[in-house]
Amino acid sequence: MLPAELQTALHRLPLDELLEVVMDLGRPPEARFPERVVRLAERPVTHEELAHVTALTGEFGDDNRAGIERTLHRISAIRNRKGQIVGLTLRVGRAVHGVIEILRDLVESGQSILILGRPGVGKTTKLREMARVLADDVGRRVIVIDTSNEIAGDGDIPHPGIGDARRMQVPRVDRQHAVMIEAVENHMPEVIIVDEIGTEAEAAAARTIAERGVQLIGTAHGTTLENLIKNPTLSDLVGGVQVVTLSDEEARRRRTAKTVSERRAPPTFEIVVEMVDRDEVIVHRDTAAAVDAILRGFAPRGERREQGADGQVHVRDEEPLLADTPPPPMAELAERRGPVRIYPYALSRDLLERVIRGLGLDARTVGGPDQATLIIALRSRADDLRLKRIVDAGEASLHFIKRNTANEMRRLLERIFHLMGGEEDDLLAGVIRETEEGIRRALEEGVAVELAPQRPALRKMQHRMIAGQGLVAESVGREPERRLVIQPLRDE
């Protein structure tokens, strides 16, 4: 498909590692590999070269995607305001066998599975292999809903990568939900596989399919279960979220605020898989329990699976605490002038700032590692050479979290700011016990509870604990005898 000059340049490169070729009008063409980008020519791409490529592809759909018949390659177009193509992304598609061994037991269980993960992590490749295994090895009736012909390739004849599974093409992107329902009503499938569930109508269709007893395997936009719960369009896939106002009696019994978030319905998908990397996943075997835990403010304990180079799958439960190195004691942080300066390396700075505000910490984010006293990064980047150079060049301490979520950040920061060690640790434990007992009395007995005097940092922590249960605390007295009084709930 490519102009001869680009073909010649590509043949000098390791094609088995090629991810995609990018051709943008007026810019040099590029070949992208997992760890690098290579220019294929120094001169810019022309209109004629773009026309040459598009003339050899299939027809572009409403989603600006096209393919090459009987292959898995995908060509995506960028258009100007007049609808003319001014850029192309030519992604290499490969059918890879053996990529679902890490999930094979779940796939063969008959339960519905939702796969989450960032773009390019291999979700569609796994769907294709799941279709082949279920149709050929397990002998089930499988139908693939192929909106962009990305699972089974372009053209009328499906790519052999899906085995004996049948494929239904979708005429327009906005008709995917209708084809999903049509597949169930007309073709008696035992399994339906669908890529990129992204609209409310598709989420509703997925629930309809699951309620009819058909195993549904699909992917959705989002990287973690927590992201999905916060997405109002797609949260229904995992049961949805509703806000419930409790009576005073029920709030006291639960020891919660009067207004709480709860799961609205049973999840459409019994299992949720978060793809960390191509060979590493986190499995939530009970979606309902995981969602309930998140809504209550806890991090769900997933099952981490990794497939080694030898093909062996290693399974272990996630650890509740996520720091590879012990965080510095709070006393050490307090000796440094001003707020603790935190640099999020390849993490969401906005999310980290919200967590800091929510915890009421004396900390702030900074835009560069040279200004930081703490650096937080993903554990998957532990071998990142740039990160190692940053840490070696400065004095900031490095701490890892497993996922870029508020729960992970919150748990790490609470550990950093509250772990004191020795006698200080015993003091903290005693303060927590006293505060919890005071909260219990205020809720169950309906009385005001006066706590023992504490220094400001511990009073701030007590305030957060009390507010988290829907109660109010007042500060009384003067330093060093200043203390909190927990006020009971008042009937409206």
Side-chain angles (χ1 to χ4, degrees), residues 191-220:
V191 183
I192 284 184
I193 293 179
V194 59
D195 200 7
E196 295 186 6
I197 299 173
T199 68
E200 195 170 337
E202 290 160 10
R207 179 170 290 279
T208 299
I209 291 169
E211 288 173 350
R212 296 190 185 191
V214 177
Q215 181 183 8
L216 181 63
I217 301 177
T219 67

Side-chain angles (χ1 to χ4, degrees), residues 246 248 251-252 254-260 439-440 442-443 462-473 486-492:
L246 307 175
D248 291 341
R252 290 192 188 100
R254 295 193 188 187
R255 301 182 185 180
T256 64
K258 291 185 66 175
T259 302
V260 296
I439 291 171
R440 185 195 65 77
L443 289 170
Q462 290 177 313
H463 269 296
R464 289 198 305 273
M465 292 177 63
I466 295 164
Q469 300 299 321
L471 298 172
V472 174
I486 305 175
Q487 300 297 331
L489 289 171
R490 294 182 172 82
D491 294 332
E492 295 178 355

Side-chain angles (χ1 to χ4, degrees), residues 133-339:
V133 168
L134 287 171
D136 294 2
D137 299 354
V138 185
R140 292 183 182 155
R141 298 188 301 273
V142 181
I143 288 185
V144 174
I145 308 300
D146 211 1
T147 303
S148 299
N149 289 351
E150 199 168 350
I151 300 177
D154 210 39
D156 295 334
I157 302 175
H159 189 276
I162 67 169
D164 290 335
R166 304 176 73 188
R167 188 262 296 270
M168 292 182 67
Q169 293 177 299
V170 180
R172 297 197 317 270
V173 177
D174 60 358
R175 296 292 298 163
Q176 177 168 288
H177 68 285
V179 177
M180 291 167 65
I181 298 298
E182 181 187 337
V184 176
E185 294 177 342
N186 292 356
H187 304 290
M188 295 181 61
E190 294 175 296
V191 183
I192 284 184
I193 293 179
V194 59
D195 200 7
E196 295 186 6
I197 299 173
T199 68
E200 195 170 337
E202 290 160 10
R207 179 170 290 279
T208 299
I209 291 169
E211 288 173 350
R212 296 190 185 191
V214 177
Q215 181 183 8
L216 181 63
I217 301 177
T219 67
H221 302 295
T223 56
T224 65
L225 181 56
E226 186 178 6
N227 296 150
L228 201 66
I229 291 172
K230 295 177 181 178
N231 185 328
T233 304
L234 298 180
S235 64
D236 186 57
L237 296 174
V238 292
V241 180
Q242 62 184 358
V243 178
V244 178
T245 302
L246 307 175
S247 66
D248 291 341
E249 183 179 349
E250 180 66 11
R252 290 192 188 100
R253 186 185 70 79
R254 295 193 188 187
R255 301 182 185 180
T256 64
K258 291 185 66 175
T259 302
V260 296
S261 295
E262 291 186 347
R263 180 167 47 84
R264 185 173 62 244
T268 300
F269 293 89
E270 294 102 328
I271 299 172
V272 172
V273 175
E274 300 173 1
M275 288 191 62
V276 179
D277 209 336
R278 292 181 181 272
D279 299 317
E280 183 179 359
V281 300
I282 296 171
V283 176
H284 300 287
R285 285 179 171 270
D286 186 342
T287 303
V291 172
D292 291 345
I294 291 173
L295 292 178
R296 291 183 184 128
F298 301 104
R301 288 177 65 92
E303 180 182 275
R304 182 172 289 268
R305 299 183 174 195
E306 299 179 50
Q307 187 170 11
D310 58 356
Q312 293 295 314
V313 177
H314 307 279
V315 181
R316 60 185 171 85
D317 287 338
E318 283 197 280
E319 300 172 1
L321 290 176
L322 270 335
D324 286 345
T325 56
M330 187 61 196
E332 178 186 330
L333 294 175
E335 291 176 1
R336 301 172 181 173
R337 291 187 177 183

Side-chain angles (χ1 to χ4, degrees), residues 330 418 420 454-462 464:
M330 187 61 196
H418 296 155
M420 300 181 183
Q454 304 293 348
R455 60 177 180 262
L458 292 177
R459 289 202 307 272
K460 184 178 291 187
M461 181 196 71
Q462 290 177 313
R464 289 198 305 273

Side-chain angles (χ1 to χ4, degrees), residues 330-342 361-364 366 371 373 417:
M330 187 61 196
E332 178 186 330
L333 294 175
E335 291 176 1
R336 301 172 181 173
R337 291 187 177 183
V340 177
R341 301 181 302 280
I342 305 175
L361 302 178
D362 187 20
R364 64 182 179 87
V366 292
Q371 309 163 21
T373 51
F417 280 79

Side-chain angles (χ1 to χ4, degrees), residues 315-388:
V315 181
R316 60 185 171 85
D317 287 338
E318 283 197 280
E319 300 172 1
L321 290 176
L322 270 335
D324 286 345
T325 56
M330 187 61 196
E332 178 186 330
L333 294 175
E335 291 176 1
R336 301 172 181 173
R337 291 187 177 183
V340 177
R341 301 181 302 280
I342 305 175
Y343 175 63
Y345 183 83
L347 296 172
S348 169
R349 186 172 177 178
D350 288 343
L351 194 61
L352 179 58
E353 287 179 347
R354 287 201 295 271
V355 172
I356 291 171
R357 288 197 299 270
L359 293 175
L361 302 178
D362 187 20
R364 64 182 179 87
T365 63
V366 292
D370 54 321
Q371 309 163 21
T373 51
L374 291 176
I375 297 176
I376 301 177
L378 290 174
R379 180 175 289 176
S380 60
R381 291 181 175 264
D383 296 326
D384 189 315
L385 294 179
R386 179 172 176 264
L387 178 60
K388 288 181 178 180

Side-chain angles (χ1 to χ4, degrees), residues 67-130:
I68 305 171
E69 191 164 351
R70 305 296 295 273
T71 75
L72 300 174
H73 308 314
R74 188 185 80 188
I75 295 90
S76 302
I78 299 175
R79 299 179 184 270
N80 62 16
R81 292 185 178 183
K82 297 179 180 179
Q84 299 168 328
I85 293 177
V86 293
L88 291 173
T89 302
L90 300 93
R91 179 177 293 183
V92 178
R94 299 181 178 92
V96 185
H97 289 196
V99 295
I100 68 157
E101 292 307 310
I102 197 170
L103 299 172
R104 192 177 185 114
D105 59 321
L106 305 178
V107 172
E108 296 180 359
S109 70
Q111 294 180 289
S112 293
I113 304 171
L114 181 65
I115 302 175
L116 307 174
R118 67 184 188 276
V121 79
K123 299 189 297 296
T124 304
T125 302
K126 278 189 167 47
L127 286 186
R128 187 182 303 116
E129 178 69 351
M130 288 176 183

